[in-house]
Amino acid sequence: MNSQDFPILGQQIHGHRLAYLDNAATTQKPQQVIDSISYAYSHFNANIHRATHTLATIATEHHEHARQTVAGFINARNAKEIVFTKGTTDAINTAAFTIGETLSEGDEVIVSAMEHHSNLVPWQMLCQRKKLKLRVAPLKDDLTLDTAQLYKLFNSRTKVLSIAHVSNVLGIANPIEKIVKEAHKNNIIVLIDAAQSIPHLPVDVQKIDCDFLAFSAHKIYGPTGIGVLYGKQEILEQLPPYQGGGEMINHVSFENTTYNTLPYKFEAGTPDFIGSYAFGKALEYVENIGMENIAEHERNLCRLVERQLKEKFNNIKIYAEGIEKSGVISFNILRNDGSLIHPYDIAMLLDQQGVAVRSGHHCAEPLINLLGVVGTVRVSFGLYNEENDINQLIAALSKSVDILS
Ligand code: PMP
């Protein structure tokens, strides 16, 4: 699917065709997005919102147009609900801080056992700062979320549930619409970490009915350094700002400062207006292909790779085996004596054969500890991957396992 649009994929790595299978870490950029950064710097580089001169007006229009594009992409009610951040991590930290300002000692926050550190540590820090209780929803033996146990954690002190849409280790999706419904019955605010769903699945915030949703541009073919915190307008309006300075103010005096309207109240400092332009181009690019088509393509790749891994390797452990995956799959391979081939060694040897995968704890140490291993090998797909990437992976993996066994 359109791999010719991505110039980096034409490279040779160690004399081999590049099979880039590390898309969960970051995706490659189409020429249209790369060109848009050069175009922005060449044509309308001027700080936004503050000046009346023409370049600044054009830059501001592009930035606000990008916000509209993002709002349309996730079906937000309006663009005021789109706060530009540095990425998912920054978005979750923003939410944790500002929601945290409204919570009191003894209140409870829930995360799940499959969270990325970016959706765990900010809440842990908040709980320490405000003396709140952090509770963790467990997984079932098949590694899916134990929703029955999750709902049992809900009580009158539960104020926030922050949970991944798609796990960055397991690739499986949580039933977030149902979870949000149950949480709302208990007046719990729900944040969805959509870092790994936004590139792989259609995401509709009105359908999900989540209160907040966070994602990064670089995981959906856009630039690094920019992301989004979506928040329902009526909630964002009630919350205090996160950082001070720049466009987040209305009036400032030494005695007092009043704050700007949404979304600017949450956007301190010069926004990444070059990044937002390129981000908008990335979203237009995927919209042209269609998120449903991308989702179907990547589900098929996941099914194919899972089948081939099981067929070719006797001693393989695929995590969340047999459960539908969206773009991400993790596994380990054992030697005949039952010892684990270190995932790092596998990733190193694959790299020598042009195959880029990730190994390690994938910033989800608690989940990896639960799996009882040092890490996993993680293969993750993008819209440009095809069957030949899987063939190259399987051939390179066979060679690597022979060497390491
Ligand atoms: N959450 C999940 C599920 C992720 O996969 C990632 C990125 N690996 C993040 C959060 C953090 O994203 P970023 O580093 O772009 O802030």
Side-chain angles (χ1 to χ4, degrees):
M1 204 189 264
N2 303 28
S3 63
Q4 69 284 355
D5 287 343
F6 295 78
I8 202 169
L9 299 177
Q11 282 186 82
Q12 298 254 310
I13 298 287
H14 300 299
H16 296 270
R17 168 188 180 274
L18 168 63
Y20 184 77
L21 298 171
D22 191 20
N23 293 282
T26 199
T27 51
Q28 300 305 343
K29 317 307 169 197
Q31 192 66 54
Q32 292 87 327
V33 170
I34 298 169
D35 288 347
S36 72
I37 295 170
S38 171
Y39 182 87
Y41 277 123
S42 310
H43 291 85
F44 61 82
N45 178 45
N47 208 335
I48 58 171
H49 291 146
R50 294 168 202 197
T52 45
H53 66 77
T54 303
L55 281 187
T57 307
I58 296 170
T60 304
E61 280 169 8
H62 280 306
H63 187 66
E64 293 309 324
H65 177 74
R67 199 189 301 279
Q68 296 279 355
T69 304
V70 173
F73 190 73
I74 60 169
N75 195 29
R77 278 170 207 84
N78 80 61
K80 288 181 190 169
E81 301 185 311
I82 305 300
V83 175
F84 282 123
T85 64
K86 287 187 287 177
T88 309
T89 306
D90 189 38
I92 297 173
N93 275 279
T94 303
F97 180 89
T98 184
I99 298 167
E101 288 299 277
T102 67
L103 304 184
S104 320
E105 184 170 346
D107 284 344
E108 298 187 6
V109 174
I110 304 177
V111 295
S112 88
M114 66 169 76
E115 298 311 316
H116 187 281
H117 298 161
S118 292
N119 193 30
L120 167 59
V121 181
W123 300 109
Q124 235 167 18
M125 289 165 67
L126 167 66
C127 289
Q128 282 160 9
R129 181 164 63 89
K130 300 284 280 189
K131 298 192 172 62
L132 316 179
K133 195 164 176 185
L134 186 71
R135 317 219 39 188
V136 181
L139 309 185
K140 294 194 281 196
D141 289 345
D142 65 0
L143 300 177
T144 59
L145 183 71
D146 191 335
T147 48
Q149 291 300 320
L150 166 66
Y151 302 150
K152 279 190 190 155
L153 295 177
F154 292 174
N155 67 64
S156 61
R157 297 309 302 264
T158 313
K159 302 296 181 205
V160 182
L161 166 64
S162 193
I163 192 162
H165 190 179
V166 169
S167 158
N168 70 308
V169 177
L170 307 170
I172 55 178
N174 287 316
I176 51 170
E177 279 178 45
K178 174 86 171 75
I179 291 171
V180 169
K181 211 173 263 170
E182 289 302 315
H184 282 172
K185 283 184 201 161
N186 292 271
N187 298 318
I188 299 167
I189 289 178
V190 186
L191 182 146
I192 302 296
D193 174 355
Q196 292 299 339
S197 57
I198 207 82
H200 303 303
L201 297 172
V203 169
D204 179 329
V205 289
Q206 292 193 59
K207 195 155 163 253
I208 299 166
D209 196 29
C210 53
D211 304 294
F212 292 92
L213 183 119
F215 59 98
S216 305
H218 72 96
K219 295 198 196 272
I220 184 164
Y221 315 103
T224 46
I226 187 162
V228 169
L229 176 65
Y230 156 84
K232 279 183 182 161
Q233 184 177 349
E234 62 272 24
I235 300 179
L236 285 177
E237 263 161 6
Q238 301 301 317
L239 292 173
Y242 170 44
Q243 295 180 323
E247 254 332 273
M248 53 75 74
I249 56 95
N250 183 17
H251 288 293
V252 178
S253 71
F254 286 122
E255 290 71 36
N256 192 35
T257 294
T258 54
Y259 304 124
N260 207 340
T261 52
L262 291 179
Y264 312 110
K265 181 170 80 172
F266 291 103
E267 294 182 350
T270 297
D272 184 3
F273 53 86
I274 302 288
S276 66
Y277 181 69
F279 186 9
K281 295 294 170 204
L283 294 182
E284 285 166 15
Y285 181 87
V286 294
E287 266 174 340
N288 274 336
I289 300 171
M291 280 314 297
E292 290 287 0
N293 295 331
I294 293 171
E296 182 59 17
H297 175 67
E298 292 173 346
R299 268 196 299 268
N300 287 337
L301 290 175
C302 281
R303 275 185 216 125
L304 184 65
V305 78
E306 187 160 341
R307 198 171 64 231
Q308 291 212 18
L309 286 169
K310 277 195 291 193
E311 275 170 17
K312 296 278 162 32
F313 302 95
N314 295 328
N315 298 335
I316 191 163
K317 171 75 190 152
I318 294 169
Y319 297 99
E321 187 177 336
I323 301 172
E324 182 145 273
K325 297 177 181 66
S326 294
V328 179
I329 181 166
S330 266
F331 61 87
N332 269 308
I333 296 183
L334 307 176
R335 296 187 184 84
N336 287 335
D337 65 4
S339 63
L340 184 91
I341 302 180
H342 202 293
Y344 178 81
D345 293 336
I346 291 181
M348 282 264 293
L349 290 183
L350 290 180
D351 178 60
Q352 295 300 312
Q353 300 166 81
V355 180
V357 301
R358 183 115 337 201
S359 66
H361 59 53
H362 317 298
C363 296
E365 257 191 89
L367 172 59
I368 295 296
N369 289 340
L370 211 75
L371 301 180
V373 288
V374 287
T376 72
V377 180
R378 182 183 72 182
V379 168
S380 54
F381 297 110
L383 62 87
Y384 33 66
N385 290 122
E386 297 285 358
E387 206 172 322
N388 55 359
D389 294 308
I390 294 178
N391 296 340
Q392 191 176 337
L393 165 75
I394 298 290
L397 195 55
S398 292
K399 262 196 199 163
S400 310
V401 170
D402 283 347
I403 294 167
L404 295 166
S405 283

